[in-house]
Amino acid sequence: MTTTLPHPPHRLPVLGDVLTADPARPTQHLAEQVPELGPIFDTQIFRHHLTVVSGTDLYADLCDEKRFGKHVGFSIGFAREVVADALFSAYTTEPNWSRAHNILQPAFSLSAMKNYHATMVDTTRELIAYWDERARSGPVDVHTDTSKLTLQTIGRIGFGHDFRSFESSEPDPYATAVTGVFAYMGRSGYRIPVHWLDHLVHRRTIAQVEADLAYTRSVVDDVIRTRRTHPEGAPDDDLLALMLTTADPEGGRFLSDENIRNQVITFLNAGHETTSGTLSFALHLLATHPDVADLARAEIESLWPAGTDPDPVFADIHKLKYVRRVVDETLRLWPIAPGFLREPLRDTLLGGRYPVRAGQPMVALTLAVHRDPVWGPDPLAFDPDRFLPERARTRPPGIYKPFGTGLRQCIGRQLALHESVLALALILHRYDLEPDPGYELEVAEEFTLKPVNLRLGLRRR
Ligand code: MNH
């Protein structure tokens, strides 16, 4: 593709921008290039071009569903090597996308959230019991433990499976394996595009990924087999039951066994690593902004007085409006899905001025848009009250998209928000957060963003 868009300096034939790219933190690096390269620029990794869109008006226009749709390529294309046409990685035109979307939609309704609430409370209490014990001997490893919480939660509410994540102090082996697989897929665009050479150079990594994938599949196959042989006592409306026993209301088709396996892997991953990242960043931001933590606690203690043992009911979560703003603001500064891929449905002009071609791979760079000066004089400041309705109204629409956009936006949004608000509220009710004084936030990209080696002291209140 020839392009007149700006591109990074020192571009080389064949390699493109490989030497100036940063495979370990690709989207953070792209966001860092915005001041130099502008609101829309081109990058090239080997022979693949990607148009990077970070101008707020261009980003909003890229979300116009009449002219643009989800692009399946790059890391999502590589994810298809593992989970094929499961919900997240399917082309919108593939029959299994709408089939699975229709079959699974009931599991994300408001009444479904009400059903999940008690399990979410129980699982958060397990985290707190675990932290009560461990925090006495020093700071806790935040992301390892938020991952235990969210994996345990999605395992139970989606699939009736108990990962028993809190029985060991090690990271959950399933989380480690599946994160390894997806992290590898996320980096795959930077793999040497010569197959035999790539396999020679990376043979140990590849062997590890294959072992991780085999383990992931064996756990998932076990979960499915257990439900098939013992459906008695299990809910008839969780994710697994819907997939095993219900057909697409449009067309009457069921999902195949292989597709169900891929959906389970997808949901265990999408359902846990996103919410754990959100909680980890939120806890870091709260620990380093005690004024915000105090305001949140005041709200929480107005519902559940200090010193009591809270028994949150479903409706409480919607009363925690400040805690919700903390989550919204966390996902603004650290959108754990730092961008989403789009493509023009036909040749068009982006923002009325940049010609783009049907199918051209583009990324809507949420990470940069969420920090644009349009947010105010200090866009990097952590200020949950940006999400007060009266302040939100003063901003242009279409610039806050942590859950993606349109038809292919996140199906788990309500679940993730309910779980995040609930967990943060119970954690803040229980503990004062003590940041590690020497800690400088470092953010890893393994498909999603997550803080590296974040530790916090927890002092029971
Ligand atoms: Mn989720 C799609 C962000 C939690 C399951 N999710 C997306 C997309 C974003 C996203 C962005 C769109 C990706 C794209 O356009 O390519 N998701 C999040 C964030 C959180 C999150 C920021 C938590 C915070 N997601 C969850 C949870 C689940 C889930 C929890 C499941 C229980 N997400 C999905 C699935 C898709 C998706 C499935 C794909 C939906 C589709 O394409 O139809």
Side-chain angles (χ1 to χ4, degrees), residues 272-301:
H272 104 270
E273 92 152 15
T274 49
T275 312
S276 62
T278 306
L279 289 171
S280 300
F281 282 116
L283 290 169
H284 167 73
L285 289 164
L286 288 163
T288 50
H289 297 79
D291 49 329
V292 174
D294 285 346
L295 288 171
R297 239 181 236 110
E299 178 182 75
I300 294 160
E301 290 176 352

PDB file of all heavy atoms in Angstrom, residues 272-301:
ATOM      1  N   HIS A 272     -11.547 -12.793  32.727  1.00  0.00           N
ATOM      2  CA  HIS A 272     -10.742 -12.619  33.938  1.00  0.00           C
ATOM      3  C   HIS A 272      -9.611 -11.622  33.781  1.00  0.00           C
ATOM      4  O   HIS A 272      -9.392 -10.789  34.644  1.00  0.00           O
ATOM      5  CB  HIS A 272     -10.266 -13.967  34.498  1.00  0.00           C
ATOM      6  CG  HIS A 272      -8.830 -14.302  34.244  1.00  0.00           C
ATOM      7  ND1 HIS A 272      -8.423 -14.988  33.137  1.00  0.00           N
ATOM      8  CD2 HIS A 272      -7.716 -14.023  34.957  1.00  0.00           C
ATOM      9  CE1 HIS A 272      -7.111 -15.131  33.174  1.00  0.00           C
ATOM     10  NE2 HIS A 272      -6.651 -14.553  34.252  1.00  0.00           N
ATOM     11  N   GLU A 273      -8.927 -11.613  32.638  1.00  0.00           N
ATOM     12  CA  GLU A 273      -7.713 -10.804  32.646  1.00  0.00           C
ATOM     13  C   GLU A 273      -8.006  -9.315  32.476  1.00  0.00           C
ATOM     14  O   GLU A 273      -7.211  -8.471  32.883  1.00  0.00           O
ATOM     15  CB  GLU A 273      -6.674 -11.377  31.689  1.00  0.00           C
ATOM     16  CG  GLU A 273      -6.673 -10.860  30.314  1.00  0.00           C
ATOM     17  CD  GLU A 273      -5.236 -10.970  29.760  1.00  0.00           C
ATOM     18  OE1 GLU A 273      -4.407 -11.672  30.345  1.00  0.00           O
ATOM     19  OE2 GLU A 273      -4.967 -10.326  28.746  1.00  0.00           O
ATOM     20  N   THR A 274      -9.169  -9.010  31.939  1.00  0.00           N
ATOM     21  CA  THR A 274      -9.578  -7.622  31.788  1.00  0.00           C
ATOM     22  C   THR A 274      -9.966  -7.004  33.137  1.00  0.00           C
ATOM     23  O   THR A 274      -9.490  -5.935  33.495  1.00  0.00           O
ATOM     24  CB  THR A 274     -10.796  -7.561  30.862  1.00  0.00           C
ATOM     25  OG1 THR A 274     -11.736  -8.527  31.321  1.00  0.00           O
ATOM     26  CG2 THR A 274     -10.417  -7.874  29.441  1.00  0.00           C
ATOM     27  N   THR A 275     -10.836  -7.703  33.844  1.00  0.00           N
ATOM     28  CA  THR A 275     -11.315  -7.154  35.117  1.00  0.00           C
ATOM     29  C   THR A 275     -10.187  -7.131  36.152  1.00  0.00           C
ATOM     30  O   THR A 275     -10.106  -6.195  36.954  1.00  0.00           O
ATOM     31  CB  THR A 275     -12.534  -7.948  35.616  1.00  0.00           C
ATOM     32  OG1 THR A 275     -13.450  -8.101  34.530  1.00  0.00           O
ATOM     33  CG2 THR A 275     -13.235  -7.222  36.742  1.00  0.00           C
ATOM     34  N   SER A 276      -9.294  -8.120  36.103  1.00  0.00           N
ATOM     35  CA  SER A 276      -8.183  -8.089  37.057  1.00  0.00           C
ATOM     36  C   SER A 276      -7.265  -6.896  36.771  1.00  0.00           C
ATOM     37  O   SER A 276      -6.817  -6.226  37.708  1.00  0.00           O
ATOM     38  CB  SER A 276      -7.398  -9.403  37.025  1.00  0.00           C
ATOM     39  OG  SER A 276      -6.834  -9.608  35.757  1.00  0.00           O
ATOM     40  N   GLY A 277      -7.015  -6.616  35.506  1.00  0.00           N
ATOM     41  CA  GLY A 277      -6.193  -5.448  35.171  1.00  0.00           C
ATOM     42  C   GLY A 277      -6.841  -4.165  35.672  1.00  0.00           C
ATOM     43  O   GLY A 277      -6.185  -3.294  36.247  1.00  0.00           O
ATOM     44  N   THR A 278      -8.142  -4.056  35.453  1.00  0.00           N
ATOM     45  CA  THR A 278      -8.877  -2.872  35.906  1.00  0.00           C
ATOM     46  C   THR A 278      -8.736  -2.698  37.418  1.00  0.00           C
ATOM     47  O   THR A 278      -8.449  -1.603  37.912  1.00  0.00           O
ATOM     48  CB  THR A 278     -10.371  -3.012  35.533  1.00  0.00           C
ATOM     49  OG1 THR A 278     -10.455  -3.277  34.130  1.00  0.00           O
ATOM     50  CG2 THR A 278     -11.153  -1.765  35.881  1.00  0.00           C
ATOM     51  N   LEU A 279      -8.934  -3.796  38.154  1.00  0.00           N
ATOM     52  CA  LEU A 279      -8.831  -3.709  39.617  1.00  0.00           C
ATOM     53  C   LEU A 279      -7.405  -3.365  40.045  1.00  0.00           C
ATOM     54  O   LEU A 279      -7.207  -2.561  40.968  1.00  0.00           O
ATOM     55  CB  LEU A 279      -9.267  -5.034  40.249  1.00  0.00           C
ATOM     56  CG  LEU A 279     -10.766  -5.332  40.173  1.00  0.00           C
ATOM     57  CD1 LEU A 279     -11.067  -6.758  40.624  1.00  0.00           C
ATOM     58  CD2 LEU A 279     -11.544  -4.319  41.038  1.00  0.00           C
ATOM     59  N   SER A 280      -6.421  -3.939  39.384  1.00  0.00           N
ATOM     60  CA  SER A 280      -5.034  -3.668  39.775  1.00  0.00           C
ATOM     61  C   SER A 280      -4.685  -2.193  39.567  1.00  0.00           C
ATOM     62  O   SER A 280      -4.111  -1.552  40.455  1.00  0.00           O
ATOM     63  CB  SER A 280      -4.069  -4.547  38.965  1.00  0.00           C
ATOM     64  OG  SER A 280      -4.344  -5.911  39.196  1.00  0.00           O
ATOM     65  N   PHE A 281      -5.036  -1.646  38.401  1.00  0.00           N
ATOM     66  CA  PHE A 281      -4.766  -0.216  38.166  1.00  0.00           C
ATOM     67  C   PHE A 281      -5.552   0.653  39.148  1.00  0.00           C
ATOM     68  O   PHE A 281      -5.034   1.644  39.668  1.00  0.00           O
ATOM     69  CB  PHE A 281      -5.129   0.180  36.731  1.00  0.00           C
ATOM     70  CG  PHE A 281      -4.108  -0.240  35.710  1.00  0.00           C
ATOM     71  CD1 PHE A 281      -4.432  -1.170  34.725  1.00  0.00           C
ATOM     72  CD2 PHE A 281      -2.822   0.285  35.725  1.00  0.00           C
ATOM     73  CE1 PHE A 281      -3.482  -1.560  33.775  1.00  0.00           C
ATOM     74  CE2 PHE A 281      -1.870  -0.098  34.778  1.00  0.00           C
ATOM     75  CZ  PHE A 281      -2.205  -1.028  33.800  1.00  0.00           C
ATOM     76  N   ALA A 282      -6.802   0.289  39.404  1.00  0.00           N
ATOM     77  CA  ALA A 282      -7.611   1.091  40.331  1.00  0.00           C
ATOM     78  C   ALA A 282      -6.966   1.091  41.721  1.00  0.00           C
ATOM     79  O   ALA A 282      -6.883   2.142  42.372  1.00  0.00           O
ATOM     80  CB  ALA A 282      -9.041   0.545  40.393  1.00  0.00           C
ATOM     81  N   LEU A 283      -6.484  -0.054  42.172  1.00  0.00           N
ATOM     82  CA  LEU A 283      -5.881  -0.116  43.508  1.00  0.00           C
ATOM     83  C   LEU A 283      -4.592   0.700  43.554  1.00  0.00           C
ATOM     84  O   LEU A 283      -4.310   1.378  44.548  1.00  0.00           O
ATOM     85  CB  LEU A 283      -5.642  -1.576  43.915  1.00  0.00           C
ATOM     86  CG  LEU A 283      -6.944  -2.344  44.209  1.00  0.00           C
ATOM     87  CD1 LEU A 283      -6.678  -3.847  44.332  1.00  0.00           C
ATOM     88  CD2 LEU A 283      -7.611  -1.817  45.494  1.00  0.00           C
ATOM     89  N   HIS A 284      -3.829   0.656  42.475  1.00  0.00           N
ATOM     90  CA  HIS A 284      -2.618   1.500  42.415  1.00  0.00           C
ATOM     91  C   HIS A 284      -2.989   2.982  42.502  1.00  0.00           C
ATOM     92  O   HIS A 284      -2.394   3.746  43.266  1.00  0.00           O
ATOM     93  CB  HIS A 284      -1.856   1.213  41.123  1.00  0.00           C
ATOM     94  CG  HIS A 284      -0.791   2.229  40.829  1.00  0.00           C
ATOM     95  ND1 HIS A 284       0.396   2.279  41.540  1.00  0.00           N
ATOM     96  CD2 HIS A 284      -0.746   3.247  39.929  1.00  0.00           C
ATOM     97  CE1 HIS A 284       1.128   3.290  41.078  1.00  0.00           C
ATOM     98  NE2 HIS A 284       0.461   3.885  40.105  1.00  0.00           N
ATOM     99  N   LEU A 285      -3.985   3.380  41.714  1.00  0.00           N
ATOM    100  CA  LEU A 285      -4.362   4.800  41.687  1.00  0.00           C
ATOM    101  C   LEU A 285      -4.955   5.230  43.029  1.00  0.00           C
ATOM    102  O   LEU A 285      -4.679   6.336  43.511  1.00  0.00           O
ATOM    103  CB  LEU A 285      -5.345   5.050  40.536  1.00  0.00           C
ATOM    104  CG  LEU A 285      -4.704   4.963  39.132  1.00  0.00           C
ATOM    105  CD1 LEU A 285      -5.759   4.815  38.045  1.00  0.00           C
ATOM    106  CD2 LEU A 285      -3.825   6.199  38.867  1.00  0.00           C
ATOM    107  N   LEU A 286      -5.746   4.368  43.636  1.00  0.00           N
ATOM    108  CA  LEU A 286      -6.327   4.712  44.946  1.00  0.00           C
ATOM    109  C   LEU A 286      -5.239   4.816  46.014  1.00  0.00           C
ATOM    110  O   LEU A 286      -5.268   5.717  46.857  1.00  0.00           O
ATOM    111  CB  LEU A 286      -7.368   3.666  45.350  1.00  0.00           C
ATOM    112  CG  LEU A 286      -8.678   3.723  44.559  1.00  0.00           C
ATOM    113  CD1 LEU A 286      -9.468   2.425  44.733  1.00  0.00           C
ATOM    114  CD2 LEU A 286      -9.527   4.930  45.001  1.00  0.00           C
ATOM    115  N   ALA A 287      -4.276   3.897  45.965  1.00  0.00           N
ATOM    116  CA  ALA A 287      -3.212   3.911  46.978  1.00  0.00           C
ATOM    117  C   ALA A 287      -2.365   5.174  46.859  1.00  0.00           C
ATOM    118  O   ALA A 287      -1.871   5.694  47.859  1.00  0.00           O
ATOM    119  CB  ALA A 287      -2.329   2.665  46.824  1.00  0.00           C
ATOM    120  N   THR A 288      -2.200   5.670  45.641  1.00  0.00           N
ATOM    121  CA  THR A 288      -1.359   6.848  45.437  1.00  0.00           C
ATOM    122  C   THR A 288      -2.170   8.150  45.465  1.00  0.00           C
ATOM    123  O   THR A 288      -1.596   9.228  45.308  1.00  0.00           O
ATOM    124  CB  THR A 288      -0.565   6.741  44.110  1.00  0.00           C
ATOM    125  OG1 THR A 288      -1.468   6.398  43.051  1.00  0.00           O
ATOM    126  CG2 THR A 288       0.497   5.656  44.201  1.00  0.00           C
ATOM    127  N   HIS A 289      -3.491   8.050  45.634  1.00  0.00           N
ATOM    128  CA  HIS A 289      -4.356   9.238  45.757  1.00  0.00           C
ATOM    129  C   HIS A 289      -5.272   9.058  46.965  1.00  0.00           C
ATOM    130  O   HIS A 289      -6.463   8.805  46.811  1.00  0.00           O
ATOM    131  CB  HIS A 289      -5.193   9.447  44.487  1.00  0.00           C
ATOM    132  CG  HIS A 289      -4.360   9.728  43.280  1.00  0.00           C
ATOM    133  ND1 HIS A 289      -3.711   8.740  42.579  1.00  0.00           N
ATOM    134  CD2 HIS A 289      -4.037  10.907  42.671  1.00  0.00           C
ATOM    135  CE1 HIS A 289      -3.033   9.288  41.577  1.00  0.00           C
ATOM    136  NE2 HIS A 289      -3.207  10.599  41.613  1.00  0.00           N
ATOM    137  N   PRO A 290      -4.693   9.214  48.167  1.00  0.00           N
ATOM    138  CA  PRO A 290      -5.476   8.938  49.385  1.00  0.00           C
ATOM    139  C   PRO A 290      -6.714   9.831  49.508  1.00  0.00           C
ATOM    140  O   PRO A 290      -7.712   9.408  50.109  1.00  0.00           O
ATOM    141  CB  PRO A 290      -4.480   9.202  50.523  1.00  0.00           C
ATOM    142  CG  PRO A 290      -3.225   9.711  49.910  1.00  0.00           C
ATOM    143  CD  PRO A 290      -3.281   9.516  48.433  1.00  0.00           C
ATOM    144  N   ASP A 291      -6.670  11.030  48.915  1.00  0.00           N
ATOM    145  CA  ASP A 291      -7.853  11.900  48.943  1.00  0.00           C
ATOM    146  C   ASP A 291      -9.023  11.241  48.216  1.00  0.00           C
ATOM    147  O   ASP A 291     -10.168  11.275  48.694  1.00  0.00           O
ATOM    148  CB  ASP A 291      -7.515  13.262  48.319  1.00  0.00           C
ATOM    149  CG  ASP A 291      -6.813  13.120  46.958  1.00  0.00           C
ATOM    150  OD1 ASP A 291      -6.081  12.123  46.757  1.00  0.00           O
ATOM    151  OD2 ASP A 291      -7.016  13.990  46.089  1.00  0.00           O
ATOM    152  N   VAL A 292      -8.729  10.621  47.083  1.00  0.00           N
ATOM    153  CA  VAL A 292      -9.784   9.923  46.328  1.00  0.00           C
ATOM    154  C   VAL A 292     -10.270   8.704  47.120  1.00  0.00           C
ATOM    155  O   VAL A 292     -11.477   8.462  47.237  1.00  0.00           O
ATOM    156  CB  VAL A 292      -9.268   9.511  44.930  1.00  0.00           C
ATOM    157  CG1 VAL A 292     -10.302   8.663  44.199  1.00  0.00           C
ATOM    158  CG2 VAL A 292      -8.904  10.743  44.108  1.00  0.00           C
ATOM    159  N   ALA A 293      -9.320   7.965  47.692  1.00  0.00           N
ATOM    160  CA  ALA A 293      -9.699   6.784  48.478  1.00  0.00           C
ATOM    161  C   ALA A 293     -10.599   7.186  49.647  1.00  0.00           C
ATOM    162  O   ALA A 293     -11.577   6.500  49.953  1.00  0.00           O
ATOM    163  CB  ALA A 293      -8.447   6.064  48.976  1.00  0.00           C
ATOM    164  N   ASP A 294     -10.305   8.337  50.274  1.00  0.00           N
ATOM    165  CA  ASP A 294     -11.132   8.801  51.401  1.00  0.00           C
ATOM    166  C   ASP A 294     -12.553   9.108  50.944  1.00  0.00           C
ATOM    167  O   ASP A 294     -13.524   8.765  51.634  1.00  0.00           O
ATOM    168  CB  ASP A 294     -10.527  10.059  52.030  1.00  0.00           C
ATOM    169  CG  ASP A 294      -9.296   9.730  52.876  1.00  0.00           C
ATOM    170  OD1 ASP A 294      -9.096   8.531  53.183  1.00  0.00           O
ATOM    171  OD2 ASP A 294      -8.542  10.672  53.219  1.00  0.00           O
ATOM    172  N   LEU A 295     -12.680   9.784  49.801  1.00  0.00           N
ATOM    173  CA  LEU A 295     -14.017  10.097  49.293  1.00  0.00           C
ATOM    174  C   LEU A 295     -14.788   8.817  48.975  1.00  0.00           C
ATOM    175  O   LEU A 295     -15.988   8.697  49.273  1.00  0.00           O
ATOM    176  CB  LEU A 295     -13.925  10.974  48.033  1.00  0.00           C
ATOM    177  CG  LEU A 295     -13.505  12.423  48.255  1.00  0.00           C
ATOM    178  CD1 LEU A 295     -13.232  13.125  46.921  1.00  0.00           C
ATOM    179  CD2 LEU A 295     -14.590  13.168  49.036  1.00  0.00           C
ATOM    180  N   ALA A 296     -14.095   7.858  48.372  1.00  0.00           N
ATOM    181  CA  ALA A 296     -14.746   6.587  48.049  1.00  0.00           C
ATOM    182  C   ALA A 296     -15.201   5.894  49.329  1.00  0.00           C
ATOM    183  O   ALA A 296     -16.329   5.410  49.441  1.00  0.00           O
ATOM    184  CB  ALA A 296     -13.791   5.690  47.269  1.00  0.00           C
ATOM    185  N   ARG A 297     -14.325   5.916  50.355  1.00  0.00           N
ATOM    186  CA  ARG A 297     -14.647   5.231  51.606  1.00  0.00           C
ATOM    187  C   ARG A 297     -15.834   5.890  52.309  1.00  0.00           C
ATOM    188  O   ARG A 297     -16.672   5.204  52.906  1.00  0.00           O
ATOM    189  CB  ARG A 297     -13.433   5.230  52.517  1.00  0.00           C
ATOM    190  CG  ARG A 297     -13.006   3.853  52.862  1.00  0.00           C
ATOM    191  CD  ARG A 297     -11.828   3.835  53.774  1.00  0.00           C
ATOM    192  NE  ARG A 297     -10.762   3.054  53.179  1.00  0.00           N
ATOM    193  CZ  ARG A 297      -9.632   3.550  52.722  1.00  0.00           C
ATOM    194  NH1 ARG A 297      -9.371   4.844  52.797  1.00  0.00           N
ATOM    195  NH2 ARG A 297      -8.732   2.746  52.202  1.00  0.00           N
ATOM    196  N   ALA A 298     -15.898   7.205  52.199  1.00  0.00           N
ATOM    197  CA  ALA A 298     -17.037   7.894  52.834  1.00  0.00           C
ATOM    198  C   ALA A 298     -18.343   7.397  52.220  1.00  0.00           C
ATOM    199  O   ALA A 298     -19.327   7.135  52.929  1.00  0.00           O
ATOM    200  CB  ALA A 298     -16.892   9.409  52.663  1.00  0.00           C
ATOM    201  N   GLU A 299     -18.350   7.244  50.908  1.00  0.00           N
ATOM    202  CA  GLU A 299     -19.552   6.743  50.243  1.00  0.00           C
ATOM    203  C   GLU A 299     -19.846   5.293  50.662  1.00  0.00           C
ATOM    204  O   GLU A 299     -20.992   4.936  50.973  1.00  0.00           O
ATOM    205  CB  GLU A 299     -19.369   6.821  48.731  1.00  0.00           C
ATOM    206  CG  GLU A 299     -20.549   6.283  47.950  1.00  0.00           C
ATOM    207  CD  GLU A 299     -20.311   6.323  46.451  1.00  0.00           C
ATOM    208  OE1 GLU A 299     -19.538   5.475  45.938  1.00  0.00           O
ATOM    209  OE2 GLU A 299     -20.876   7.203  45.782  1.00  0.00           O
ATOM    210  N   ILE A 300     -18.809   4.485  50.688  1.00  0.00           N
ATOM    211  CA  ILE A 300     -18.969   3.068  51.012  1.00  0.00           C
ATOM    212  C   ILE A 300     -19.497   2.915  52.448  1.00  0.00           C
ATOM    213  O   ILE A 300     -20.405   2.132  52.721  1.00  0.00           O
ATOM    214  CB  ILE A 300     -17.618   2.331  50.835  1.00  0.00           C
ATOM    215  CG1 ILE A 300     -17.215   2.337  49.358  1.00  0.00           C
ATOM    216  CG2 ILE A 300     -17.673   0.914  51.379  1.00  0.00           C
ATOM    217  CD1 ILE A 300     -15.725   2.088  49.108  1.00  0.00           C
ATOM    218  N   GLU A 301     -18.924   3.731  53.365  1.00  0.00           N
ATOM    219  CA  GLU A 301     -19.329   3.600  54.766  1.00  0.00           C
ATOM    220  C   GLU A 301     -20.713   4.199  55.028  1.00  0.00           C
ATOM    221  O   GLU A 301     -21.315   3.918  56.065  1.00  0.00           O
ATOM    222  CB  GLU A 301     -18.245   4.211  55.672  1.00  0.00           C
ATOM    223  CG  GLU A 301     -16.990   3.333  55.650  1.00  0.00           C
ATOM    224  CD  GLU A 301     -15.808   3.891  56.434  1.00  0.00           C
ATOM    225  OE1 GLU A 301     -15.892   5.059  56.884  1.00  0.00           O
ATOM    226  OE2 GLU A 301     -14.822   3.158  56.588  1.00  0.00           O
TER     227      GLU A 301
END
